[in-house]
Amino acid sequence: MGNYTCTVENAFGKDEWTFPLVIKAPPSWVSVPQDIKTSEDKSVMFECSAEGHPKPVISWMKHDTSKILFYFKLLNDSFHFLQSKEPKTIGLNEDSMTLFPNGSLLISPVKSRHAGTYTCTASNNVDPSLKFTVSLAVNDPPIIQPFSFPETASQGQRVTAACGILQGSKPLTFQWMKDGKEIINVPNTSVDIQAEYSVLTISPASKSNAGNYTCIVRNSFGQHSHDAAFTLKGEEMPNTSLIQNSL
């Protein structure tokens, strides 16, 4: 590739013609992105760049939307993004994502909505194009869906309370407390624990079951708790602070 000159000469003169020789080359990776695991509110950077002739066009696609979210192009030995040499913030909800001229994709701060698979594509109309798919896993601390006990429960009835999560990376652990003490081998009270929720069952309900109940959910990234008072119809909930102070 370069400029070539053909020269013709005889006794009467000389002539020459210069022409460029351009060899097209398909894209080849300079850097490829890697899978990332992170937590909310942190920052992550995906790297993706390629070389070739003509200069490759780089595009990013997030799979759950099945469309290209952002686009930039390498022209004349300099990167251009939408006719701008400066990083431009774009992407999901037009926030949190910055695409840099070197092909790096910055997500900051990371939110759970950013989790998913992303594909970087490099193409320049010379086959084959390049594609590389990576995943972003966002690990969430748990958040409990607020719950309460029935307000019309009577003595002898079966009463349940379900503790579920609004978000939270698995595995999760659940723990139930009554008036600050863990519920273990408590008569007429049982706890059922599943992957994403836990159900507390009181059957048959009695006066001794009235009190403040707490569900605690934990994972590797944090914990969350929710309190709910249980009273029987016609009964007042005991003042646990007075009971504790008398001990």
Side-chain angles (χ1 to χ4, degrees):
M1 186 165 61
N3 291 321
Y4 288 79
T5 301
C6 176
T7 302
V8 179
E9 185 177 1
N10 62 16
F12 303 98
K14 175 182 176 182
D15 194 15
E16 62 181 28
W17 182 60
T18 300
F19 63 94
L21 176 63
V22 178
I23 301 175
K24 292 185 177 181
S28 61
W29 289 119
V30 174
S31 62
V32 294
Q34 303 295 322
D35 293 339
I36 297 177
K37 292 182 179 180
T38 189
S39 300
E40 279 203 332
D41 297 322
K42 292 190 176 181
S43 299
V44 299
M45 181 82 77
F46 286 118
E47 295 182 358
C48 184
S49 61
E51 60 185 5
H53 193 84
K55 298 295 184 180
V57 174
I58 302 293
S59 62
W60 279 92
M61 182 175 70
K62 189 173 189 296
H63 287 216
D64 61 356
T65 57
S66 297
K67 65 179 181 181
I68 294 175
L69 298 176
F70 25 75
Y71 168 92
F72 74 97
K73 193 174 184 179
L74 181 59
L75 292 172
N76 300 325
D77 297 323
S78 63
F79 281 102
H80 293 258
F81 176 80
L82 299 179
Q83 306 304 315
S84 172
K85 295 183 180 180
E86 300 299 323
K88 183 176 178 63
T89 300
I90 45 165
L92 300 178
N93 298 328
E94 297 299 322
D95 68 355
S96 300
M97 289 188 172
T98 303
L99 190 60
F100 288 91
N102 65 357
S104 298
L105 175 64
L106 172 68
I107 305 177
S108 180
V110 172
K111 298 298 179 183
S112 57
R113 67 177 179 272
H114 295 125
T117 53
Y118 294 77
T119 295
C120 176
T121 302
S123 62
N124 62 355
N125 294 322
V126 181
D127 292 333
S129 298
L130 299 177
K131 289 187 177 183
F132 204 91
T133 298
V134 292
S135 65
L136 174 62
V138 181
N139 299 314
D140 298 321
I143 297 180
I144 296 174
Q145 170 73 55
F147 64 88
S148 61
F149 287 92
E151 297 180 358
T152 59
S154 300
Q155 187 164 315
Q157 290 184 329
R158 182 177 184 271
V159 178
T160 62
C163 177
I165 60 169
L166 293 172
Q167 71 171 46
S169 299
K170 293 185 284 188
L172 300 162
T173 62
F174 291 83
Q175 183 183 29
W176 286 90
M177 313 282 285
K178 178 181 182 291
D179 299 330
K181 295 182 180 180
E182 186 174 6
I183 298 175
I184 300 177
N185 298 325
V186 176
N188 73 336
T189 303
S190 63
V191 174
D192 177 36
I193 298 177
Q194 301 297 323
E196 296 184 354
Y197 67 91
S198 177
V199 178
L200 174 75
T201 301
I202 303 172
S203 181
S206 65
K207 293 180 181 180
S208 64
N209 297 121
N212 285 310
Y213 288 80
T214 303
C215 176
I216 304 172
V217 184
R218 300 180 177 90
N219 66 8
S220 300
F221 311 100
Q223 71 175 48
H224 191 225
S225 63
H226 178 75
D227 299 322
F230 173 54
T231 59
L232 291 173
K233 189 176 181 181
E235 298 284 343
E236 292 185 358
M237 187 183 70
N239 191 327
T240 56
S241 62
L242 292 179
I243 295 175
Q244 292 172 357
N245 291 335
S246 64
L247 297 178

